[in-house]
């Protein structure tokens, strides 16, 4: 026999066939009916409302929002155990997603556009002028390829063309490294201040970055030497063998060296912000970067690759109209191209395209530097709970006072 009572809402009619001895909720009595167990002192209907949060002591007090309480790792907890994302600056102080890292970089550019563009435009203009002058007056003439060369002549011309291209690339790479150095140092300082919601002026950024420039230059050159050493060791057997077999070995060595160089560059990609923000030396920064990247190499590689693709697309969108205008303005280059000859570009084309390159660099430099700095901060938040120190340094309520030596330094 089942003694479980059935369920019915208060005041509902008895269902047909329901056993009379089944317990039912008590019903309020009318004026002529028997007394019920319901109190006659009922609140007015208009005073009932759905709860919207904790209420203060009393019957119908106004809702009070949930108060933070200590949670995992010392982070304040909000409702339902979810940590509130304090955001004193351009990013929320918690582990970041890919979109938040990119958005933080762009937000820094928007928030401090005068300071950021003052740095990037100055560096871009100087770098572009140096690149143009080096290409015009320092680089050798490109190798002329014969129309129908024999096998030996084709091999010789291919080697000479490769050497000329490599020599022509060296000044551009060196100028690019120096430009990156003078943009990365102050921009990293600006981004670290933006994370805390603090103002950043050009004078402040330069004053904090200047003492680290020599070490950052050493780190940049060391990374370039590491990449060059790996590439040289890979192609050395082919250069020693020579002939057709040597070219095959050079091609195979290059294919083998590319993934090694990429792996090393991603492994050490967080060394510049570690050097700038933790005041570490060159070798210590490389070790620090390797430690932070360990276990998340593919994630960081994906973010860096995505940033590279986006900056390349932005550069193309900006540069292509200037290239087209340069072709039209430089009549000699346009006539040579229409005649099927290799165009020889004059100063008109060079100046117009250089303006496009400066504009593109001024926009993409801070985005790339911002992604690197925010990746470093994100890795420290994930591994070392840096968000707690940042929140205390920014004066976020509920995180206590700022301890001595706190900030982005460890």
């Amino acid at each position: 026999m089942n003694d479980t009572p059935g369920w019915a809402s208060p005041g509902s009619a008895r269902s047909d066939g329901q056993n009379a001895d089944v317990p039912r909720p008590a019903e309020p009595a009318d004026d002529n009916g028997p007394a019920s167990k319901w109190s006659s002192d009922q609140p007015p209907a208009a005073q009932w409302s759905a709860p919207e949060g904790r209420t203060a002591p009393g019957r119908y007090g106004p809702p009070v929002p949930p108060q933070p309480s200590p949670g995992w790792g010392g982070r304040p907890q909000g409702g339902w155990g979810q940590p509130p994302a304090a955001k004193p600056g351009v990013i929320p102080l918690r582990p970041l997603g890919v979109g938040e890292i990119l958005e933080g970089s762009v937000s820094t550019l928007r928030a401090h556009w005068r300071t950021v563009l003052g740095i990037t435009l100055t560096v871009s203009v100087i770098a572009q002028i140096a690149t143009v002058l080096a290409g015009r007056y320092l680089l050798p003439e490109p190798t002329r390829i014969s129309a129908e060369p024999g096998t030996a002549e084709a091999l010789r011309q291919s080697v000479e063309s490769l050497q000329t291209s490599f020599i022509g690339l060296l000044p551009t790479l060196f100028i690019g490294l120096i430009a990156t150095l003078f943009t990365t140092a102050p921009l990293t300082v600006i981004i670290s201040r933006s994370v805390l919601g603090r103002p950043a002026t050009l004078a402040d950024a330069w004053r904090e970055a200047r003492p680290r420039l020599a070490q950052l230059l050493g780190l940049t050159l060391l990374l370039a030497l590491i990449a060059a050493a790996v590439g040289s060791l890979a192609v050395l057997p082919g250069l020693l063998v020579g002939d057709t077999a040597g070219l095959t070995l050079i091609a195979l060595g290059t294919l083998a060296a590319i993934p090694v160089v990429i792996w090393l560059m991603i492994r050490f990609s967080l060394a510049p912000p570690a050097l700038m923000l933790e005041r570490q030396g060159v070798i210590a920064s490389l070790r620090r970067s390797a430690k932070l990247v360990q276990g998340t190499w593919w994630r960081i590689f994906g973010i860096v690759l995505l940033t590279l693709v986006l900056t390349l697309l932005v550069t193309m969108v900006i540069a292509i109209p200037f290239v087209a205008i340069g072709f039209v303005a430089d009549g000699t280059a346009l006539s040579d191209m229409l005649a099927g000859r290799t165009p020889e570009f004059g100063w008109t084309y060079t100046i117009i395209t250089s303006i496009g390159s400066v504009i593109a660099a001024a926009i993409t430099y801070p985005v790339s530097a911002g992604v690197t700095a925010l990746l470093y901060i994100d890795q420290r938040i994930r591994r070392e709970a840096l968000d707690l120190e940042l929140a205390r340094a920014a004066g976020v309520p509920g995180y206590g006072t700022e301890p001595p030596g706190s900030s982005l330094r460890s």
Side-chain angles (χ1 to χ4, degrees):
M1 177 177 180
N2 187 5
D3 295 332
T4 305
W7 183 90
S9 60
S12 62
R14 181 181 300 172
S15 301
D16 294 337
Q18 182 178 359
N19 193 346
D21 59 0
V22 175
R24 292 174 47 82
E27 299 179 0
D30 55 21
D31 294 338
N32 300 322
S36 70
K37 296 181 181 180
W38 283 48
S39 172
S40 60
D41 182 18
Q42 296 293 322
Q47 294 189 13
W48 290 96
S49 61
E52 297 181 359
R54 301 181 185 177
T55 58
R59 290 184 70 178
Y60 308 111
V64 177
Q67 300 298 318
S69 59
W72 293 102
R75 295 178 173 87
Q77 297 287 325
W80 303 101
Q82 296 296 325
K87 190 177 179 181
V90 294
I91 59 169
L93 300 183
R94 55 171 169 76
L96 303 174
V98 179
E100 290 171 326
I101 292 175
L102 293 172
E103 182 182 358
S105 302
V106 177
S107 297
T108 302
L109 175 60
R110 289 201 306 263
H112 306 284
W113 64 272
R114 290 184 180 88
T115 304
V116 171
L117 290 182
I119 295 170
T120 55
L121 277 175
T122 302
V123 174
S124 299
V125 168
I126 296 174
Q128 190 63 36
I129 292 174
T131 301
V132 170
L133 294 179
R136 284 281 181 174
Y137 300 111
L138 297 181
L139 299 183
E141 291 291 332
T143 304
R144 299 291 181 178
I145 305 297
S146 302
E148 296 180 358
T151 304
E153 182 63 18
L155 179 60
R156 185 189 66 80
Q157 292 180 358
S158 299
V159 173
E160 288 184 357
S161 178
L162 182 62
Q163 291 176 347
T164 303
S165 301
F166 181 74
I167 294 173
L169 194 60
L170 286 179
T172 303
L173 290 177
F174 179 76
I175 295 170
L177 287 177
I178 300 301
T180 302
L181 168 71
F182 281 94
T183 54
T184 298
L187 289 178
T188 302
V189 175
I190 293 172
I191 291 164
S192 66
R193 285 173 170 260
S194 299
V195 169
L196 300 177
R198 295 176 178 173
T201 63
L202 180 58
D204 293 336
W206 178 248
R207 184 171 58 252
E208 292 189 28
R210 185 174 54 188
R212 314 297 299 171
L213 285 178
Q215 287 183 308
L216 187 59
L217 175 61
L219 174 63
T220 305
L221 293 178
L222 180 59
L223 291 175
L225 288 175
I226 291 174
V230 173
S232 299
L233 290 176
V235 301
L236 182 60
L239 294 177
L240 294 177
V241 172
D243 297 333
T244 306
L247 289 177
T248 303
L249 289 177
I250 290 174
L252 294 176
T254 302
L255 292 177
I258 289 174
V260 176
V261 171
I262 293 175
W263 182 82
L264 288 172
M265 293 302 103
I266 297 299
R267 183 175 175 83
F268 299 137
S269 60
L270 304 184
L275 185 144
M276 291 295 303
L277 300 177
E278 298 185 28
R279 305 296 192 264
Q280 300 216 25
V282 174
I283 303 302
S285 299
L286 292 175
R287 294 198 189 101
R288 186 79 167 116
S289 176
K291 181 180 179 181
L292 291 173
V293 173
Q294 185 177 5
T296 57
W297 189 94
W298 283 106
R299 177 177 179 271
I300 294 176
F301 169 74
I303 295 174
V304 171
L305 180 61
L306 176 61
T307 305
L308 181 62
V309 171
L310 292 177
T311 54
L312 181 61
L313 289 176
V314 171
T315 301
M316 292 177 61
V317 168
I318 296 174
I320 287 176
F322 285 91
V323 172
I325 295 173
F327 262 112
V328 174
D330 193 337
T332 304
L334 183 61
S335 61
D336 288 341
M337 186 179 65
L338 294 177
R341 299 188 299 269
T342 302
E344 295 184 1
F345 302 106
W347 280 106
T348 303
Y349 173 86
T350 302
I351 292 173
I352 293 175
T353 55
S354 296
I355 293 173
S357 299
V358 167
I359 296 174
I363 296 175
T364 56
Y365 272 156
V367 174
S368 300
V371 167
T372 302
L374 293 179
L375 265 176
Y376 161 81
I377 295 173
D378 176 58
Q379 287 302 108
R380 288 198 61 185
I381 289 176
R382 293 173 182 271
R383 293 179 179 270
E384 304 168 1
L386 181 66
D387 52 330
L388 302 182
E389 289 191 31
L390 294 177
R392 284 193 290 264
V396 177
Y399 287 84
T401 59
E402 180 179 355
S406 68
S407 70
L408 293 180
R409 304 180 192 179
S410 61

